[in-house]
Amino acid sequence: MALIASDADDRCDQLALLSERLAGLIDEETALYRAGRYREAAPIVAEKGKLTAVYQMELRRIGQQRDLIETASQAARDALRLATERLREVLARHEAALKRARDLTDGLVQAIAEEVRAEAHVPLGYGGGVANARPIALDALA
C-alpha cells in the first residue's frame, strides 16, 4: 500500500504523520519490553510491521523520484525532517532495549546450559567408581 498524495507538501505531511505514528508505536513497544511484558507487544509489532512496510516503500519511491518531495515547501520538509529525527531517536532507544532483553535472554540460556552440562557429567550406572549411582528397574517389556 503506497501513500496517495496530491502534491509534494501532502506527501511530506503524510510521511511525517507516518513517522510520528511509527515512533509512537515503537516507544510503546519499548516500554512494554522494558517492563518485561513481551506478549502484550504482539499487536503493536503487527501494526508496526505494516506501517514499516509502507514507510520503506515510500522511501524507495522517493529515492527513485526525488521530485516527490523536492518541490515541497520548506515548512513541509522541515516538519518531515523533525519527524524523521524523532523516529531515529526512538529507534536508538528501542535498539538499546532490545539489546538489554537479548543479553538477559542470552544470560538465562547460558545459565540453563551450564546446569544441563553439570547434570550431564554425573555418571550413572552400577559398578566401581560410579558416584551417585541410580538404580533402574526393567520389566519384561524392556
Side-chain angles (χ1 to χ4, degrees):
M1 174 177 97
L3 297 180
I4 300 173
S6 58
D7 59 21
D9 277 8
D10 188 30
R11 183 170 309 283
C12 284
D13 291 346
Q14 287 185 42
L15 276 171
L17 287 172
L18 180 59
S19 298
E20 290 177 18
R21 179 64 182 144
L22 276 169
L25 286 171
I26 293 167
D27 255 347
E28 197 176 335
E29 180 183 25
T30 301
L32 289 170
Y33 286 165
R34 285 184 175 154
R37 298 165 38 198
Y38 304 104
R39 289 189 176 147
E40 293 177 44
I44 295 170
V45 171
E47 183 178 357
K48 183 184 73 170
K50 293 174 186 175
L51 294 179
T52 299
V54 173
Y55 188 81
Q56 289 174 333
M57 183 179 7
E58 284 302 314
L59 291 182
R60 278 193 301 276
R61 286 181 65 200
I62 291 168
Q64 294 168 352
Q65 299 173 304
R66 297 293 301 164
D67 62 315
L68 289 173
I69 62 168
E70 281 181 344
T71 58
S73 67
Q74 189 63 46
R77 288 186 296 179
D78 288 346
L80 177 56
R81 187 179 67 258
L82 288 173
T84 302
E85 287 171 3
R86 179 176 184 281
L87 178 58
R88 286 183 180 149
E89 291 167 3
V90 168
L91 284 169
R93 288 193 302 269
H94 185 66
E95 181 179 14
L98 288 177
K99 183 183 180 323
R100 280 191 297 276
R102 186 185 66 233
D103 290 347
L104 176 64
T105 301
D106 288 348
L108 289 172
V109 168
Q110 287 177 346
I112 292 168
E114 288 297 321
E115 281 296 315
V116 169
R117 206 177 347 239
E119 288 289 321
H121 286 90
V122 174
L124 299 177
Y126 296 101
V130 176
N132 300 325
R134 297 181 193 166
I136 60 169
L138 301 175
D139 64 12
L141 298 175

